[in-house]
Amino acid sequence: MKSIKKKLAILLCVCLVWQTSPISYAAMQVTTAVQTAGNQNPQTATSSDILDTEDSEDEEVDWTERDGELLDDRMTPSNASEANRVDLDVELYKEVWGTETLDQLAYLEVICFGDCTIKTKENVVIGNLTISGDLEIDAGSKEIIINQVKWLNGTVTMKGKVTLSGSVETIGQECEMIFESNCDVQIGESINLANITCKSSSKVNMEQAYIKNLDISGNVNMTGGTGSITIAQVNWASGNLELYGSVLFEGDVNVCEGGGHGEFILKDQCNVVINGDLNMLLSTEGQRVNLDSQKGSKLTVYGDMRGNKFGGGWAGYWYANIHMNGEITIWGNFFNDAKEVFMEEESAYVTIYGDYIQQMGPGWLSIMMGEDSLLTAGTLEVKGNYLYDSMGSSNFLQGTHTTI
């Protein structure tokens, strides 16, 4: 038994050098431990066969008590209780056909065939997950941590808190990921996806990603890591898109083009680049569409930025609200046919290389009313032509704002 303990000690050093991922390490240790125990079925190997306790052979080993740091930090989610202990008597390998509820703490490998659903009643760690077909991962109120994913084909729907800590190999050409309501997904390494669909109350954190198509139909909180998130095309029906980190849009961004309500929110320290136009074009009565570029954010638009009102007659008008409180560079033109353009932060700086055009036009029931500018702080620098037409405004510049 002492030789077994020595082997495990050597394995520990090799694992820490070879890969620092906690879940990879945990899965590898479980594998080697089972093999070292002798020619036994991995499903029946016990902790007493693997660990040398230096106590009597009849004494039951409390792995959690003897090596609590290893289990708490390496094998379990951060919020797992002390009662959740590794038990090598249970299955380490799982084949899923249909709907399965994962009932143990850790699995070395899970393979999903066809249309499958994985659920859990406890916090679960999966070493390797292979997907062949459509898969729904439902963590409920718990957490599912997956170290490595081999994605052959199909659509994966996420519900609850799911962490993909290691590599995600998308072999299929049409791999799609759907984030359902109250979804919280962490993706630790680079991923390429044909399509992501974000529904209400979705939260996703991606270290680096390339997304061919992003569909938005609810509130989405998206964070980029040390790498950037690149989005080739976005289809935005409704809801808020809140961005952190570095995000690149390869084409136009049309906020709530489907006629719904929503905001484009750029948080502090985020860096967003749009290789096209940024449009906030209202199309239905009562529609609310806003741009909220917050203090500390950075936005670069290589096309035009446009906002427009919608309505008329007794119903009145609805307007796009544009808040420019970060650092914004527009290489094309800026146009808005309403007064709702705001600059409120002293540090805000907007540079427009084309023309700045803000024309109020007639208001409710075609009444001509002078509208004062809502640019009260920061600096607006216009390289092209400048036009502010509020049909009789007597006070254009307010506060500490400067227009160059």
Side-chain angles (χ1 to χ4, degrees):
M1 295 297 289
K2 291 183 179 180
S3 63
I4 296 175
K5 183 177 181 180
K6 182 177 180 180
K7 291 180 180 179
L8 289 175
I10 295 173
L11 172 64
L12 173 62
C13 297
V14 172
C15 289
L16 290 175
V17 173
W18 173 69
Q19 186 169 1
T20 58
S21 170
I23 304 167
S24 298
Y25 171 83
M28 183 175 180
Q29 186 178 19
V30 172
T31 307
T32 309
V34 172
Q35 293 173 347
T36 308
N39 296 326
Q40 300 185 21
N41 189 318
Q43 298 179 3
T44 60
T46 66
S47 58
S48 60
D49 294 325
I50 298 169
L51 299 178
D52 184 1
T53 68
E54 298 183 356
D55 298 319
S56 64
E57 295 183 359
D58 295 333
E59 181 180 354
E60 182 180 358
V61 177
D62 189 336
W63 193 352
T64 303
E65 181 179 347
R66 287 181 57 84
D67 201 1
E69 182 178 356
L70 174 63
L71 290 181
D72 290 344
D73 295 342
R74 302 270 182 186
M75 285 298 295
T76 67
S78 58
N79 59 342
S81 66
E82 186 176 350
N84 290 333
R85 298 169 50 186
V86 172
D87 184 358
L88 297 179
D89 289 323
V90 295
E91 296 179 347
L92 296 175
Y93 300 87
K94 188 81 168 179
E95 291 185 0
V96 178
W97 303 79
T99 300
E100 292 280 354
T101 298
L102 305 180
D103 54 5
Q104 65 187 58
L105 178 65
Y107 292 84
L108 182 63
E109 185 168 6
V110 174
I111 303 175
C112 299
F113 299 94
D115 295 342
C116 300
T117 299
I118 293 177
K119 297 183 177 181
T120 183
K121 296 180 180 179
E122 301 293 339
N123 297 315
V124 173
V125 175
I126 299 174
N128 296 283
L129 174 65
T130 300
I131 303 169
S132 179
D134 294 342
L135 171 64
E136 179 180 298
I137 302 176
D138 186 355
S141 61
K142 302 298 181 179
E143 178 182 6
I144 297 177
I145 300 177
I146 305 170
N147 182 34
Q148 293 183 337
V149 177
K150 180 176 287 186
W151 194 344
L152 302 178
N153 56 67
T155 298
V156 175
T157 300
M158 304 283 196
K159 295 181 178 180
K161 188 172 184 179
V162 181
T163 298
L164 309 180
S165 65
S167 62
V168 180
E169 183 181 3
T170 52
I171 298 174
Q173 297 297 314
E174 298 299 327
C175 293
E176 178 182 6
M177 190 172 286
I178 299 175
F179 301 132
E180 290 281 5
S181 298
N182 299 316
C183 179
D184 184 355
V185 176
Q186 310 287 321
I187 301 177
E189 294 191 12
S190 178
I191 185 171
N192 295 323
L193 290 168
N195 194 79
I196 284 184
T197 299
C198 296
K199 298 187 177 181
S200 180
S201 300
S202 301
K203 181 179 180 181
V204 57
N205 189 321
M206 294 182 282
E207 182 66 20
Q208 183 173 344
Y210 182 83
I211 304 166
K212 290 183 179 179
N213 189 74
L214 173 65
D215 291 329
I216 303 173
S217 58
N219 298 332
V220 183
N221 181 312
M222 184 174 292
T223 302
T226 56
S228 65
I229 299 174
T230 300
I231 302 170
Q233 179 177 324
V234 58
N235 300 310
W236 196 336
S238 63
N240 301 338
L241 176 58
E242 186 172 330
L243 297 181
Y244 300 77
S246 298
V247 181
L248 168 64
F249 293 91
E250 292 187 337
D252 297 343
V253 176
N254 300 306
V255 182
C256 295
E257 59 186 330
H261 308 309
E263 290 188 71
F264 191 23
I265 304 171
L266 312 183
K267 303 296 287 188
D268 182 21
Q269 302 301 314
C270 83
N271 185 4
V272 176
V273 176
I274 301 175
N275 286 333
D277 298 334
L278 173 57
N279 296 315
M280 292 148 284
L281 309 178
L282 279 68
S283 59
T284 59
E285 290 187 0
Q287 186 179 7
R288 299 188 306 273
V289 175
N290 300 330
L291 168 66
D292 186 7
S293 175
Q294 299 183 3
K295 180 180 179 180
S297 66
K298 186 176 181 180
L299 170 64
T300 302
V301 180
Y302 283 99
D304 299 330
M305 182 187 292
R306 302 187 187 93
N308 80 311
K309 61 188 177 185
F310 180 86
W314 286 101
Y317 286 95
W318 289 266
Y319 304 93
N321 287 267
I322 302 175
H323 294 260
M324 303 188 295
N325 290 312
E327 179 184 343
I328 299 179
T329 302
I330 302 171
W331 288 90
N333 302 314
F334 175 92
F335 174 82
N336 191 53
D337 62 353
K339 71 171 184 177
E340 281 74 12
V341 180
F342 302 83
M343 290 184 70
E344 302 142 316
E345 295 288 343
E346 292 294 336
S347 59
Y349 201 105
V350 178
T351 304
I352 301 174
Y353 283 87
D355 299 335
Y356 181 96
I357 302 174
Q358 189 175 359
Q359 291 179 297
M360 306 301 117
W364 179 64
L365 296 181
S366 299
I367 297 174
M368 304 298 182
M369 298 177 61
E371 296 287 357
D372 294 337
S373 168
L374 298 174
L375 309 181
T376 59
T379 301
L380 171 64
E381 181 178 357
V382 181
K383 304 289 187 179
N385 297 317
Y386 176 88
L387 174 63
Y388 180 88
D389 182 7
S390 68
M391 298 209 171
S393 171
S394 60
N395 181 15
F396 169 45
L397 297 179
Q398 302 180 59
T400 59
H401 173 77
T402 301
T403 295
I404 302 175

